[in-house]
Amino acid sequence: MKLPYNPSDKNSVIEYAKKLKGKSLRQVCDLNILEHSYSGKGNFGQVLEKFYFGYEPNSIAEADFAQIGMELKSSPLKQLKNSEYRSKERLVLNIINYINVVNQNFENSDFIKKNASILLIFYLHQPDFDILDYLIKLVDEWSFPSTDLEIIKKDWETITKKIADGKAHELSEGDTFYLGACTKGANALSVRKQPFSKIPAKQRAYSFKQGYVNHIIASIANDPSEIYGKLITSVTVAKKQTIEEIVIEKFNPYYGKTIEEILAITGVEINTTAKSFYANLTKAILGIELDKEVEEFEKAEIIVKTVRLKENNLPKEDISFPNFKYEEIVKEEWDESNFKDILEHKFLFVFFQFENDKLVLRKVKFWNMPYSDILEAEKVWVKTKEIVTKGKIVKEVVGGTRYTNFPNKSFNSVSHVRPHALNASDTYNLPTKDKLTKAKEYTKHCFWLNNTYVRDEIYLK
DNA sequence: GCATGATCATGC
DNA sequence: GCATGATCATGC
């Protein structure tokens, strides 16, 4: 069959691809073929490959357009209330071959062979729409900006080293900055062999983190990115230092200084009572303008947590996460749960400590939760889900105070569940009526990291 | 002094 | 109106 483009000419492929803009698959593909073969089901990318570009979907190691070394990737967008586009999810790339990758360098890796040049096709995902009716919004060829490539190379090496250390089963997205190792497979049983351990490891693929995809989208859409400040100003810097090293180097001169002293040295004026105070102080130290976001943190989806330690090193408060909805948690599985997703992020902890009633900067630390502790957090999540499912939240009511069966600090060393609401009547609906109180809704709760865990496993380590 | 339940303050 | 970071109140 003659193709409507020349597969050995990059411009021809890109030009043909760009005709997709503003169209849906139904508009550009042969409807008869579609209805016979797909009847609205299947995956957007597969339909696109087969019925628009005219080749059979494959899972070969080389790029889809082999002659020009270009890989085709389609991915969904979501639209914000202000009508801007954001990535709906991470962008999943090739599967990690644990056996082969340990014998490769980044430059000659399967990853680079497959993804050095990507033809990106972003479509607007709309709930309840047939995939054939999603509108294609953005089409362009994309390759790594040179500074990003240095970060991604280090990420690739981090992933490879963990496999070489026999720890493929302990891989986590939080291990890396832009390039993640995300799980890929029908279910938790999708495992494969790893070279230096007998433990089967979950099947994983390289992926760009959602935050990173958002920046790709902005660059393709030609959004002027005036809203970002960069830590890494050149390829030279990126080759020499990791994001981690750059951040620690910037914080280092302020260790042992009080907040007042830091403000005086940086000369930045920040409203000390504002909620955004610590976020702004962090930006001041990093040399980022206060009205801008730290580009590298957004791309890597780094969660910044400020902790105030008491003089005995114990954090003054536990660390909260977003509230969970009772009706949602009962439908989730741990592997796809919100809580696990959060815990697999990379964190930047900024530690202050009270010293004679003044707060002094102690240290900053990049951290992501070790595999063994994720398994502990899973127990807390499982128990929480069980309690909500059975409608056994309230244990007893004493006076006006309701005591719950939620996992507390003595249940688990990593995490516990506690209220996080405006007041007791700030509630979410329950999927099952509470057995004891007959209530149909309950005060909002969230998962917390225990302050003792933060002290022992993050601050002191 | 800590654990647990409850609530506050701010900004979008 | 709500999410989020922060803090308070009470009982042991």
Side-chain angles (χ1 to χ4, degrees):
Chain A
M1 188 183 91
K2 185 167 180 344
L3 295 173
Y5 58 95
N6 178 356
S8 57
D9 176 357
K10 204 170 202 173
N11 287 332
S12 166
V13 179
I14 295 169
E15 204 174 296
Y16 179 65
K18 285 194 171 175
K19 291 181 183 167
L20 287 164
K21 265 199 209 175
K23 301 269 174 48
S24 67
L25 288 175
R26 198 186 296 282
Q27 289 172 302
V28 296
C29 299
D30 185 327
L31 199 58
N32 287 322
I33 302 174
L34 279 179
E35 296 204 327
H36 278 106
S37 319
Y38 275 85
S39 62
K41 288 192 180 167
N43 158 303
F44 189 97
Q46 287 179 341
V47 175
L48 189 67
E49 292 185 330
K50 190 163 176 179
F51 297 110
Y52 187 71
F53 288 98
Y55 65 87
E56 286 298 321
N58 64 69
S59 53
I60 50 171
E62 55 185 2
D64 293 323
F65 300 102
Q67 298 169 66
I68 49 173
M70 190 163 65
E71 176 75 2
L72 179 68
K73 278 286 161 201
S74 52
S75 196
L77 298 169
K78 60 182 178 186
Q79 199 159 20
L80 303 183
K81 285 185 187 122
N82 66 10
S83 82
E84 287 176 17
Y85 295 123
R86 291 288 185 279
S87 182
K88 183 172 168 282
E89 50 202 50
R90 55 176 70 72
L91 183 64
V92 181
L93 306 166
N94 55 315
I95 289 202
I96 307 174
N97 184 323
Y98 299 134
I99 308 293
N100 292 347
V101 74
V102 292
N103 297 315
Q104 295 173 349
N105 297 317
F106 181 67
E107 285 73 18
N108 66 17
S109 63
D110 289 347
F111 171 78
I112 278 295
K113 277 183 199 146
K114 189 104 169 144
N115 304 304
S117 161
I118 307 177
L119 178 57
L120 286 169
I121 294 173
F122 288 104
Y123 55 90
L124 183 61
H125 173 269
Q126 292 188 285
D128 308 324
F129 270 43
D130 190 300
I131 60 155
L132 298 179
D133 295 316
Y134 292 157
L135 271 187
I136 292 163
K137 291 290 179 184
L138 295 170
V139 179
D140 212 345
E141 194 231 352
W142 187 86
S143 55
F144 302 110
S146 51
T147 46
D148 291 359
L149 186 63
E150 297 300 323
I151 311 286
I152 286 167
K153 178 181 176 181
K154 284 164 190 155
D155 286 340
W156 183 90
E157 288 168 347
T158 302
I159 294 167
T160 307
K161 180 169 189 308
K162 211 159 177 179
I163 301 163
D165 288 344
K167 292 181 177 172
H169 57 290
E170 295 187 9
L171 281 168
S172 160
E173 295 209 65
D175 292 341
T176 49
F177 286 85
Y178 298 171
L179 184 71
C182 73
T183 54
K184 175 161 176 155
N187 53 54
L189 300 173
S190 302
V191 292
R192 46 165 72 202
K193 284 186 186 171
Q194 55 173 317
F196 299 112
S197 166
K198 287 179 188 153
I199 304 170
K202 269 184 205 159
Q203 173 162 278
R204 287 180 185 267
Y206 297 106
S207 69
F208 294 140
K209 296 194 179 184
Q210 195 172 351
Y212 190 76
V213 182
N214 284 335
H215 281 259
I216 295 179
I217 291 166
S219 74
I220 292 181
N222 270 331
D223 282 352
S225 54
E226 296 295 316
I227 52 171
Y228 300 110
K230 289 178 199 282
L231 290 173
I232 299 174
T233 46
S234 71
V235 192
T236 327
V237 174
K239 277 191 200 290
K240 210 170 63 188
Q241 287 181 299
T242 62
I243 291 178
E244 202 163 344
E245 287 162 353
I246 291 168
V247 169
I248 289 172
E249 189 178 278
K250 296 209 177 195
F251 271 90
N252 211 8
Y254 301 98
Y255 282 12
K257 301 239 184 303
T258 65
I259 285 175
E260 291 77 17
E261 287 168 336
I262 296 170
L263 288 175
I265 297 167
T266 57
V268 175
E269 292 199 8
I270 310 174
N271 177 0
T272 49
T273 58
K275 182 185 153 179
S276 56
F277 173 73
Y278 289 104
N280 284 333
L281 190 66
T282 300
K283 283 183 197 169
I285 291 171
L286 292 175
I288 303 281
E289 290 170 72
L290 300 190
D291 59 346
K292 296 186 176 178
E293 296 303 321
V294 185
E295 182 169 314
E296 292 84 356
F297 285 9
E298 269 209 357
K299 286 179 173 174
E301 299 180 358
I302 288 167
I303 301 174
V304 181
K305 293 282 185 190
T306 310
V307 178
R308 278 147 310 146
L309 304 165
K310 297 188 286 189
E311 304 213 355
N312 66 4
N313 289 344
L314 191 69
K316 198 164 172 289
E317 306 293 339
D318 306 298
I319 290 177
S320 68
F321 292 113
N323 293 330
F324 58 82
K325 291 195 169 75
Y326 303 110
E327 289 172 316
E328 284 178 9
I329 197 170
V330 296
K331 287 189 226 155
E332 283 181 341
E333 290 304 322
W334 168 247
D335 275 320
E336 285 78 43
S337 66
N338 271 315
F339 189 37
K340 188 185 181 201
D341 184 76
I342 293 167
L343 294 182
E344 294 224 326
H345 275 69
K346 195 174 272 302
F347 291 79
L348 173 63
F349 279 91
V350 183
F351 291 103
F352 291 93
Q353 187 163 35
F354 288 99
E355 203 179 272
N356 305 323
D357 290 333
K358 284 194 168 178
L359 274 177
V360 169
L361 178 68
R362 276 285 168 259
K363 68 169 171 181
V364 293
K365 183 162 179 170
F366 281 95
W367 176 85
N368 64 293
M369 188 174 273
Y371 178 69
S372 55
D373 294 342
I374 300 244
L375 296 180
E376 284 302 307
E378 180 179 3
K379 294 178 191 165
V380 177
W381 183 90
V382 167
K383 170 134 196 233
T384 303
K385 177 181 170 181
E386 183 194 316
I387 285 164
V388 177
T389 305
K390 291 184 175 166
K392 289 189 173 173
I393 294 179
V394 182
K395 186 162 67 182
E396 57 171 340
V397 182
V398 181
T401 307
R402 299 168 302 179
Y403 291 89
T404 73
N405 288 306
F406 282 130
N408 57 21
K409 278 183 170 177
S410 51
F411 174 81
N412 188 276
S413 63
V414 174
S415 170
H416 67 278
V417 169
R418 251 182 42 229
H420 192 216
L422 290 171
N423 53 47
S425 55
D426 182 20
T427 60
Y428 284 132
N429 289 336
L430 293 173
T432 321
K433 254 196 223 176
D434 188 71
K435 294 272 186 299
L436 192 75
T437 62
K438 312 292 177 213
K440 285 187 287 191
E441 52 193 309
Y442 203 71
T443 313
K444 293 173 183 173
H445 277 58
C446 77
F447 294 96
W448 301 71
L449 277 192
N450 299 352
N451 57 355
T452 45
Y453 176 77
V454 175
R455 177 191 62 195
D456 299 336
E457 302 301 322
I458 307 176
Y459 179 63
L460 292 177
K461 273 210 171 154

